[in-house]
Amino acid sequence: PVWSANPTSVCDVKLQMSSIAKEIGAKTNKAKKRFGCPLPTSASCRDQKCEFQLDAGASVPPSCNMELLTVSVSEKIQRMRRKANTRFSCSETAPLHCSPQWVTGWWSCSARLPLLHGRMAPQHDQNQCSEVRLLYDAAEELHEALSGGCPFVTSVACFGLSSGKCQFGMQRGEVQSCASSVKERATSKLMKTLSQGQRYGCPTDKGMKCRRDKQSGWLSCEFSDNPTLAEDQSEL
């Protein structure tokens, strides 16, 4: 993935992501040992705030204050990003997605800049649609809606604003289930994004297919005349 739009930037994004991941891992492990807090399955950071996602069956004991843990992590990560921005011009605002590896438990993080296929995603003009921006916003909304309840969704097929329908897929052979409420929320957020795009003359009735990048964990979307799930996917 392309992390920075500035080719002369001296920001070492991999090192920055590694430092942030290590900090999240240290704080969540400490909270588990000292207060019995459940270990999160992932974390999303944006707008100066981080949010943890927990397993559907996870219980938080009275000794654990997840809100305090969230505030502590958010403040620490924001300080780290502010310092990296000042010293190395690293992005201070790009959304982050972090998760622990299933086998080792070590956390890893990735950042998403407003880029699509290596290009900056320009804003919409008054009467001019930026299709790149629309696709970027669609991917953002789907990613955010699915991260909390169905992070294993790896492909999405949507059929335009007039249909109001999307399909969600995961790797064939996996044994997972995705609550209808999560799929409905993701579909609703996408349709809202498409509806907003109507103001700029965007092609909101085009089909759209989205895929999750295995390395970064982020979704990306593109228009399609025949939106389908990936060939190796089964529908949830």
Side-chain angles (χ1 to χ4, degrees), residues 53-95:
Q53 287 76 46
L54 304 177
D55 271 328
S59 60
V60 181
S63 57
C64 171
N65 188 331
M66 285 299 297
E67 183 176 353
L68 182 61
L69 175 62
T70 299
V71 171
S72 175
V73 169
S74 298
E75 291 179 348
K76 177 65 176 180
I77 300 308
Q78 191 59 29
R79 287 197 299 270
M80 293 173 68
R81 301 189 76 185
R82 190 177 300 118
K83 182 177 180 180
N85 175 264
T86 301
R87 296 182 63 184
F88 306 112
S89 300
C90 295
S91 173
E92 190 178 344
T93 58

Side-chain angles (χ1 to χ4, degrees), residues 22 27 44 64 70 72 78 95-97 108 119 154 165 196 207 216:
K22 189 178 296 184
K27 283 189 174 293
S44 299
C64 171
T70 299
S72 175
Q78 191 59 29
L96 303 181
H97 177 73
S108 61
R119 293 183 296 157
T154 48
K165 295 180 180 179
Q196 291 171 342
S216 69

Side-chain angles (χ1 to χ4, degrees), residues 13-225:
V13 178
K14 288 186 177 180
L15 179 60
Q16 184 195 25
M17 293 300 105
S18 176
S19 299
I20 290 174
K22 189 178 296 184
E23 187 65 32
I24 292 176
K27 283 189 174 293
T28 52
N29 282 323
K30 183 178 180 180
K32 177 177 174 59
K33 291 178 181 178
R34 293 188 63 182
F35 306 109
C37 296
L39 288 175
T41 56
S42 65
S44 299
C45 301
R46 59 187 303 168
D47 298 329
Q48 302 184 9
K49 182 181 179 181
C50 295
E51 294 183 350
F52 289 119
Q53 287 76 46
L54 304 177
D55 271 328
S59 60
V60 181
S63 57
C64 171
N65 188 331
M66 285 299 297
E67 183 176 353
L68 182 61
L69 175 62
T70 299
V71 171
S72 175
V73 169
S74 298
E75 291 179 348
K76 177 65 176 180
I77 300 308
Q78 191 59 29
R79 287 197 299 270
M80 293 173 68
R81 301 189 76 185
R82 190 177 300 118
K83 182 177 180 180
N85 175 264
T86 301
R87 296 182 63 184
F88 306 112
S89 300
C90 295
S91 173
E92 190 178 344
T93 58
L96 303 181
H97 177 73
C98 307
S99 60
Q101 296 179 9
W102 289 106
V103 179
T104 64
W106 290 99
W107 283 74
S108 61
C109 294
S110 58
R112 185 183 181 92
L113 291 175
L115 300 161
L116 193 71
H117 304 307
R119 293 183 296 157
M120 288 296 293
Q123 297 290 343
H124 299 293
D125 256 340
Q126 281 185 337
N127 296 307
Q128 182 68 41
C129 170
S130 167
E131 293 190 9
V132 175
R133 167 57 61 176
L134 182 68
L135 291 168
Y136 174 83
D137 289 344
E140 275 284 292
E141 293 296 346
L142 285 172
H143 182 90
E144 183 178 330
L146 294 169
S147 290
C150 305
F152 46 81
V153 169
T154 48
S155 68
V156 182
C158 295
F159 307 99
L161 184 61
S162 60
S163 77
K165 295 180 180 179
C166 292
Q167 293 178 339
F168 301 87
M170 67 176 181
Q171 198 74 29
R172 190 172 289 122
E174 285 194 21
V175 182
Q176 299 274 11
S177 62
C178 183
S180 297
S181 59
V182 177
K183 291 186 286 186
E184 289 169 1
R185 179 171 180 266
T187 302
S188 175
K189 289 175 74 71
L190 176 66
M191 296 305 157
K192 183 178 179 180
T193 297
L194 294 178
S195 179
Q196 291 171 342
Q198 283 186 316
R199 291 181 290 177
Y200 306 100
C202 291
T204 54
D205 272 329
K206 275 189 178 181
M208 186 182 294
K209 61 181 181 181
C210 307
R211 303 289 186 262
R212 190 181 299 277
D213 181 77
K214 291 182 179 180
Q215 182 179 1
S216 69
W218 288 96
L219 286 166
S220 61
C221 299
E222 62 183 3
F223 289 121
S224 173
D225 293 330

